[in-house]
Amino acid sequence: MDVHRNVDASVEDVVEAHKKDVETQEKHGVKYLNYWVDEDEGAVFCLFEGPSKEAGEKVHREAHGLTADEIFEVEQGE
C-alpha cells in the first residue's frame, strides 16, 4: 500500500490518475486493487499487488508522475 501526502487534487483528479494506473499496470506486473482519498488531509492511499514496491512506483511514475511518499508491504488479515 502506498501513501501520497500533501496531495492538492480533487477526488475526480484521483479517479483519473487511478484509471491511468490501471492502463499502465500490466506492463510492470502490477494490479492496482483499490484506493482511498482523504481530501481534507490531502492524502491518497493506493493498494496494489505486484512483484515489488518499485514496480508499483514505476506504474505511478509512468502513468501520471505522481509518486508516493511511502510504500508499505502489507498482508491481508484473517
Side-chain angles (χ1 to χ4, degrees):
M1 176 174 283
D2 67 29
V3 181
H4 304 258
R5 300 188 192 284
N6 301 312
V7 175
D8 185 22
S10 67
V11 171
E12 293 79 16
D13 294 333
V14 176
V15 169
E16 290 305 312
H18 178 72
K19 287 179 184 177
K20 291 177 182 177
D21 288 331
V22 170
E23 292 170 1
T24 308
Q25 66 188 3
E26 190 174 324
K27 179 178 178 181
H28 299 285
V30 172
K31 183 173 182 182
Y32 274 84
L33 303 172
N34 211 333
Y35 63 93
W36 297 265
V37 180
D38 182 336
E39 270 188 297
D40 293 337
E41 293 294 324
V44 177
F45 305 85
C46 303
L47 180 63
F48 66 90
E49 290 179 341
S52 66
K53 294 176 182 182
E54 293 78 19
E57 191 70 0
K58 285 179 185 178
V59 173
H60 277 339
R61 189 177 303 113
E62 185 175 318
H64 45 67
L66 304 172
T67 56
D69 294 295
E70 298 175 85
I71 302 176
F72 299 92
E73 197 168 318
V74 298
E75 293 184 28
Q76 176 79 33
E78 292 183 36

